[in-house]
Coordinates of all heavy atoms in Angstrom, one line a residue:
Chain G
R133 N -7.5 -20.2 -5.9 CA -8.7 -20.2 -6.7 C -9.9 -20.4 -5.9 O -10.1 -21.5 -5.3 CB -8.5 -21.2 -7.8 CG -9.6 -21.1 -8.9 CD -9.4 -22.1 -9.9 NE -8.4 -21.8 -11.0 CZ -8.8 -21.6 -12.2 NH1 -10.0 -21.9 -12.6 NH2 -7.9 -21.3 -13.1
Y280 N 0.7 -17.3 -7.2 CA -0.2 -16.6 -8.1 C -0.3 -17.3 -9.4 O 0.5 -17.1 -10.3 CB 0.2 -15.1 -8.3 CG -0.9 -14.3 -8.9 CD1 -2.3 -14.7 -8.8 CD2 -0.6 -13.2 -9.7 CE1 -3.3 -13.9 -9.4 CE2 -1.6 -12.5 -10.3 CZ -2.9 -12.8 -10.1 OH -4.0 -12.1 -10.7
K281 N -1.3 -18.2 -9.5 CA -1.6 -18.8 -10.7 C -2.7 -18.1 -11.4 O -3.8 -18.1 -10.8 CB -1.9 -20.3 -10.4 CG -0.7 -21.0 -9.8 CD -1.0 -22.4 -9.3 CE 0.3 -22.9 -8.8 NZ 0.1 -24.2 -8.1
S282 N -2.5 -17.5 -12.5 CA -3.4 -16.5 -13.0 C -4.4 -17.1 -14.1 O -5.0 -16.4 -14.9 CB -2.7 -15.3 -13.6 OG -1.5 -15.8 -14.4
S283 N -4.5 -18.4 -14.0 CA -5.3 -19.0 -15.1 C -6.8 -18.7 -15.0 O -7.6 -19.0 -15.9 CB -5.1 -20.6 -15.1 OG -5.5 -21.1 -13.9
S284 N -7.3 -18.2 -13.8 CA -8.7 -17.9 -13.7 C -9.1 -16.7 -14.5 O -10.2 -16.3 -14.6 CB -9.2 -17.9 -12.3 OG -8.8 -16.7 -11.7
R286 N -8.7 -16.6 -17.6 CA -8.7 -17.1 -18.9 C -10.1 -17.4 -19.4 O -10.9 -18.1 -18.6 CB -7.8 -18.3 -19.0 CG -7.5 -18.8 -20.4 CD -6.4 -19.9 -20.4 NE -6.8 -21.0 -19.5 CZ -6.0 -21.7 -18.7 NH1 -4.7 -21.3 -18.6 NH2 -6.4 -22.7 -18.0
I322 N 2.8 -25.6 -23.1 CA 2.3 -24.5 -22.3 C 2.0 -24.9 -20.8 O 1.4 -26.0 -20.6 CB 1.0 -23.9 -22.9 CG1 1.4 -23.3 -24.3 CG2 0.4 -22.8 -22.0 CD1 0.2 -23.2 -25.2
N323 N 2.5 -24.1 -19.9 CA 2.1 -24.3 -18.5 C 0.7 -23.5 -18.3 O 0.7 -22.3 -18.2 CB 3.1 -23.8 -17.5 CG 2.8 -24.1 -16.1 OD1 1.6 -24.1 -15.7 ND2 3.8 -24.3 -15.3
Y324 N -0.3 -24.3 -18.3 CA -1.7 -23.7 -18.3 C -2.0 -23.0 -17.0 O -3.0 -22.3 -16.9 CB -2.7 -24.7 -18.7 CG -2.7 -25.0 -20.2 CD1 -2.3 -26.3 -20.6 CD2 -3.0 -24.1 -21.1 CE1 -2.3 -26.6 -22.0 CE2 -2.9 -24.4 -22.5 CZ -2.6 -25.6 -22.9 OH -2.5 -25.9 -24.2
E325 N -1.3 -23.3 -15.9 CA -1.5 -22.6 -14.6 C -1.3 -21.1 -14.7 O -1.8 -20.4 -13.9 CB -0.7 -23.3 -13.5 CG -1.2 -24.6 -13.1 CD -0.4 -25.1 -11.9 OE1 0.8 -24.9 -11.8 OE2 -1.1 -25.7 -11.0
Y326 N -0.4 -20.7 -15.6 CA 0.0 -19.3 -15.7 C -0.5 -18.6 -17.0 O -0.3 -17.5 -17.2 CB 1.5 -19.2 -15.6 CG 2.0 -19.7 -14.2 CD1 2.3 -21.0 -14.0 CD2 1.9 -18.8 -13.2 CE1 2.7 -21.5 -12.8 CE2 2.3 -19.3 -11.9 CZ 2.6 -20.6 -11.7 OH 3.0 -21.0 -10.5
C327 N -1.2 -19.4 -17.9 CA -1.7 -18.8 -19.1 C -2.9 -18.0 -18.9 O -3.9 -18.6 -18.3 CB -1.9 -19.9 -20.1 SG -2.9 -19.4 -21.6
D356 N -5.8 -27.7 -15.7 CA -4.6 -27.0 -16.2 C -3.5 -28.0 -16.5 O -2.3 -27.6 -16.6 CB -4.2 -26.0 -15.1 CG -5.0 -24.7 -15.1 OD1 -5.7 -24.5 -16.1 OD2 -5.0 -24.0 -14.1

Side-chain angles (χ1 to χ4, degrees):
Chain G
R133 190 182 272 243
Y280 192 28
K281 297 173 179 172
S282 42
S283 59
S284 75
R286 191 169 60 220
I322 295 160
N323 183 328
Y324 289 112
E325 286 188 320
Y326 296 92
C327 167
D356 286 340

